[in-house]
Amino acid sequence: MSSQAPDTTRIHNIGYRSYDGPRLGRAYARRSLFSQSLRGAYGLGRSAKSKVLPMLLFAVMCLPALVIVAVAVVTKQSKLAIEYTEYAVYLQLVISIYLASQAPQSVSRDLRFRTVPLYFSRPIERVDYVLAKFGAMASALFVLTAAPLLILWIGSLLAKMDFVEQSRMFGQGLVSVALLSLLFGGIGLVMAALTPRRGFGVAAVIAVLTISYGAVSTLMGIAYATENQGAIVWLGLFSPMTLIGGVQTAFLGAPSSFPDGSDPGAGVGVVYLLAVLALVAGSYGILMRRYRKVGL
């Protein structure tokens, strides 16, 4: 004799309702992505392991400035041991390592795990994504390079150096690192966005920044040794760091970074500045083109 099991079927009202809260739109989404990317560039909001390298590099950037300030205050110097505009040039290797480590983590993971189309399924558009990532990377680099300049400026005031002169040079240094941050940030993101593999992105950024600077510096040295000074100033157009050096020498009162110690002058300086702006705009254009394809 068989008995039939009782019917236990139930219909549940899950209570789906349409969203009736505030709709914050594209601007809010763009700001959120910018904030998240900027925080991520220093490991904030990520694992403890992710914080080690960016924070260590930030400390390495600031340590020489602290030492210079301490010596200036103790010995009552009338001038800092380094110019504000020279600081980033001397520590360009640290900047390159930071960019190589953080640019790929900003964009490569989205490419690798194919999350970019998910961003574009929301009110955010490609231009918002690129602007947020570009702005965050440039801002992270500006924090990295401007913080030691702020330490130098505060130290100069503690050492009772001339306030007006130090403030003027501090302002020139900030303009210099702002241009550097835009240029390096754009180049770094372009290199990182070419591949979803983070390791390849790191290698590409390092190669572009260090090999180009090494090659240009070598060619400048050869031109100087062969008394071909006219070529030195134009060779500087082929490396991001020498481009920044030429701009700040021409317009920001920085010491010359050329082997012969020459000042490129305002005319050549305009060419350098236009080259920097063209590279920044070109990096933005390449990123827009790249994400038109990725978002499909």
Side-chain angles (χ1 to χ4, degrees):
M1 183 176 181
S2 62
S3 59
Q4 187 176 3
D7 185 8
T8 58
T9 303
R10 297 287 187 275
I11 298 176
H12 297 278
N13 180 8
I14 302 177
Y16 284 118
R17 294 183 301 174
S18 60
Y19 177 74
D20 56 2
R23 299 185 180 275
L24 303 176
R26 284 176 57 189
Y28 178 81
R30 184 170 56 244
R31 289 195 303 271
S32 298
L33 182 58
F34 168 83
S35 174
Q36 178 209 23
S37 301
L38 178 56
R39 286 166 51 83
Y42 285 94
L44 303 177
R46 300 167 59 200
S47 65
K49 181 180 178 181
S50 301
K51 297 178 176 66
V52 174
L53 184 58
M55 292 302 181
L56 178 61
L57 293 174
F58 182 82
V60 171
M61 279 292 295
C62 293
L63 183 59
L66 291 170
V67 173
I68 292 170
V69 164
V71 172
V73 172
V74 171
T75 60
K76 302 185 185 306
Q77 295 177 355
S78 59
K79 182 180 179 182
L80 292 172
I82 189 173
E83 298 281 350
Y84 292 91
T85 49
E86 291 181 303
Y87 196 91
V89 176
Y90 284 125
L91 290 171
Q92 61 179 290
L93 180 60
V94 180
I95 300 171
S96 299
I97 294 173
Y98 176 85
L99 180 62
S101 65
Q102 298 309 311
Q105 80 83 22
S106 180
V107 295
S108 295
R109 290 188 305 169
D110 290 344
L111 296 171
R112 183 176 182 181
F113 297 110
R114 303 181 184 277
T115 57
V116 175
L118 296 179
Y119 283 108
F120 300 157
S121 67
R122 295 298 180 183
I124 194 171
E125 296 184 4
R126 290 166 184 78
V127 63
D128 302 311
Y129 183 89
V130 172
L131 284 175
K133 291 293 184 178
F134 201 143
M137 194 72 258
S139 298
L141 284 171
F142 183 75
V143 170
L144 181 76
T145 52
L149 301 188
L150 179 61
I151 294 172
L152 290 176
W153 180 69
I154 294 174
S156 70
L157 300 184
L158 293 175
K160 298 182 180 179
M161 299 179 189
D162 184 77
F163 173 79
V164 174
E165 181 183 9
Q166 292 299 319
S167 297
R168 176 183 60 81
M169 293 190 295
F170 175 53
Q172 292 172 337
L174 290 181
V175 173
S176 174
V177 296
L179 284 174
L180 182 148
S181 299
L182 287 170
L183 179 60
F184 277 44
I187 293 174
L189 286 180
V190 167
M191 293 297 103
L194 293 178
T195 173
R197 299 290 183 179
R198 182 174 180 179
F200 292 160
V202 171
V205 174
I206 287 288
V208 168
L209 295 181
T210 59
I211 293 178
S212 65
Y213 181 76
V216 167
S217 298
T218 301
L219 291 174
M220 282 183 171
I222 294 172
Y224 178 69
T226 56
E227 298 184 355
N228 190 9
Q229 278 80 2
I232 292 177
V233 69
W234 300 112
L235 287 170
L237 293 170
F238 298 96
S239 166
M241 184 54 76
T242 52
L243 270 174
I244 296 298
V247 170
Q248 63 185 19
T249 300
F251 299 114
L252 301 175
S256 175
S257 58
F258 299 137
D260 59 351
S262 62
D263 185 338
V268 178
V270 169
V271 177
Y272 271 69
L273 180 59
L274 290 176
V276 170
L277 297 178
L279 282 173
V280 172
S283 298
Y284 173 79
I286 292 172
L287 287 171
M288 285 294 296
R289 183 178 180 84
R290 170 64 169 152
Y291 283 100
R292 283 193 185 98
K293 296 179 180 180
V294 172
L296 294 177

